[in-house]
Amino acid sequence: MGRVGRFISILIGIAMIACGVALLLEPQGSLVVVALVLGIGLMAYGVKKLVYYLTMARHMVESLSILLVGVLALDVGFFAITLLDAPRVSIVLYLVGYNALSGVFGIVRGLESKRLESRWKPRLFHGVINLALAILSLAFMGSEQVILAIFCIGLFYSAAMRIGSALKPTEIIYIP
């Protein structure tokens, strides 16, 4: 990651922390804001993947999976935005599904990294945290305040991981 990428990652992490603090300070109608943040984040991720596919990945071997992930993320992001007028339960279920899928994918990536003898503990730990947040969200589905606190904890954790990875020195492999 270059200096510009590190700077952008740190700015995104700070914005995530500010968004979490704002949600905790003003909890009224915050589930709508949570759905909006998730929707915009997923749409931005989908657009990023589609741009990557159109510029570089279409010439690569596993390019179809990048295209499908981009289209799916964009579609799910649009769906999250349409949930703004939906009942509170559907927004909570959407949040639970997002955390559960993110947790499962993180655990799978962590186990794959362990098999490849790479840095696997942070990925596995991040997946376990997301899965635990999904289970907690499901357990406390009736309380909007607890759901909001769980979402903010996940937001703070993701921001800390993003800032930490941006501040970590880049690993360089030297081949003699």
Side-chain angles (χ1 to χ4, degrees):
M1 183 183 312
R3 288 184 184 183
V4 174
R6 289 178 193 271
F7 181 72
I8 290 172
S9 186
I10 289 172
L11 281 181
I12 291 172
I14 291 171
M16 289 168 71
I17 291 172
C19 190
V21 169
L23 285 174
L24 286 177
L25 291 178
E26 185 59 42
Q28 192 65 20
S30 57
L31 282 180
V32 173
V33 176
V34 168
L36 187 65
V37 167
L38 279 175
I40 290 173
L42 282 170
M43 288 188 318
Y45 179 74
V47 168
K48 178 182 168 186
K49 285 291 187 183
L50 289 176
V51 167
Y52 176 64
Y53 172 78
L54 291 173
T55 56
M56 291 181 62
R58 63 183 165 166
H59 304 293
M60 294 172 23
V61 173
E62 290 285 326
S63 64
L64 184 61
S65 65
I66 294 171
L67 176 66
L68 291 176
V69 165
V71 169
L72 185 65
L74 194 61
D75 188 38
V76 171
F78 280 127
F79 181 68
I81 298 295
T82 62
L83 286 179
L84 295 178
D85 296 332
R88 185 179 59 81
V89 174
S90 60
I91 295 173
V92 172
L93 288 175
Y94 191 79
L95 179 63
V96 167
Y98 174 76
N99 277 333
L101 282 176
S102 179
V104 168
F105 288 147
I107 290 171
V108 168
R109 285 178 31 206
L111 294 175
E112 182 182 7
S113 295
K114 182 179 181 182
R115 186 177 50 87
L116 297 174
E117 297 177 2
S118 179
R119 294 186 60 232
W120 61 276
K121 289 180 183 177
R123 288 182 180 165
L124 184 69
F125 186 69
H126 190 67
V128 168
I129 292 293
N130 278 341
L131 200 57
L133 288 175
I135 292 170
L136 282 173
S137 296
L138 205 59
F140 294 105
M141 197 165 164
S143 173
E144 187 173 329
Q145 298 295 339
V146 176
I147 294 292
L148 179 65
I150 290 169
F151 177 73
C152 289
I153 288 169
L155 204 58
F156 293 147
Y157 177 73
S158 294
M161 292 293 288
R162 179 180 287 274
I163 293 172
S165 69
L167 295 176
K168 186 178 60 175
T170 305
E171 296 177 5
I172 300 174
I173 300 173
Y174 292 102
I175 301 174

